Amino acid sequence: MLLRRRATALAATAVLLLTPAVAACSDDGPAPGNGVTSTLPPVRTSTTPPPADGPADPAAAKAEITRNWAAFFAADTPAAERVKLLENGEEMREVLAAFAGNPQAAATTAKVTGVTFTSASGADVTYDLLVGGNPLLPDSRGTSVLQEDTWKVSAKTLCGLVKLSGVTVEGC
């Protein structure tokens, strides 16, 4: 499934990169050999700036978000690593401990099903929260932030899940 999504993303990227080149080769211009030359500079896709509403490499960012969310919610991920995968993780240790202390959290995993970039350092994430492999909260919405060159689960997302569990923790 991940391979199919990656292939789809690569195909979409190829279409976006090749469309200007194909348009430049259309029959709208003068026919070859008629003595008319073009004064337009060649199209250079490598100097095109990244979109203002997303990271420079959206495919790599999406892969990192997917990987980091899976690791953050995996039961076998050490607490020290989770701190690194959570926005303001050092300041959120108490909240993280409360979340990890919930018996259901030990069997909880997350599967990212969609990422939409809202800026170069932010993304809306759609994910399925699974307990024991079964959907507990399908099509959940959260956010990811780029902090210290790492795409992290937002503190807002974790606090929302802690509140859903019925626990009140200072810091949320």
Side-chain angles (χ1 to χ4, degrees):
M1 182 62 100
L2 179 60
L3 186 57
R4 186 182 322 164
R5 286 187 183 148
R6 186 173 290 161
T8 301
L10 289 173
T13 302
V15 167
L16 290 173
L17 292 176
L18 292 176
T19 298
V22 171
C25 295
S26 70
D27 288 338
D28 293 343
N34 66 359
V36 178
T37 59
S38 172
T39 59
L40 296 175
V43 176
R44 295 185 186 191
T45 57
S46 63
T47 60
T48 304
D53 60 344
D57 187 347
K62 181 179 178 182
E64 182 180 347
I65 289 169
T66 301
R67 186 174 53 250
N68 289 352
W69 276 59
F72 180 81
F73 286 99
D76 60 348
T77 300
E81 185 63 24
R82 286 185 185 184
V83 166
K84 294 176 186 176
L85 298 173
L86 178 63
E87 175 188 23
N88 301 325
E90 289 296 328
E91 293 83 26
M92 299 291 293
R93 279 186 182 270
E94 187 175 326
V95 177
L96 191 54
F99 179 73
N102 182 321
Q104 281 190 325
T108 301
T109 57
K111 178 183 175 190
V112 171
T113 58
V115 175
T116 303
F117 294 101
T118 57
S119 69
S121 60
D124 289 334
V125 179
T126 305
Y127 64 101
D128 294 337
L129 197 63
L130 310 168
V131 175
N134 298 312
L136 175 66
L137 296 173
D139 296 321
S140 297
R141 308 276 180 201
T143 56
S144 191
V145 296
L146 183 63
Q147 187 179 59
E148 299 166 357
D149 294 325
T150 301
W151 283 98
K152 301 180 179 188
V153 174
S154 72
K156 176 181 166 183
T157 298
L158 179 62
C159 285
L161 291 172
V162 169
K163 288 178 184 174
L164 277 176
S165 72
V167 176
T168 302
V169 180
E170 191 173 322
C172 278

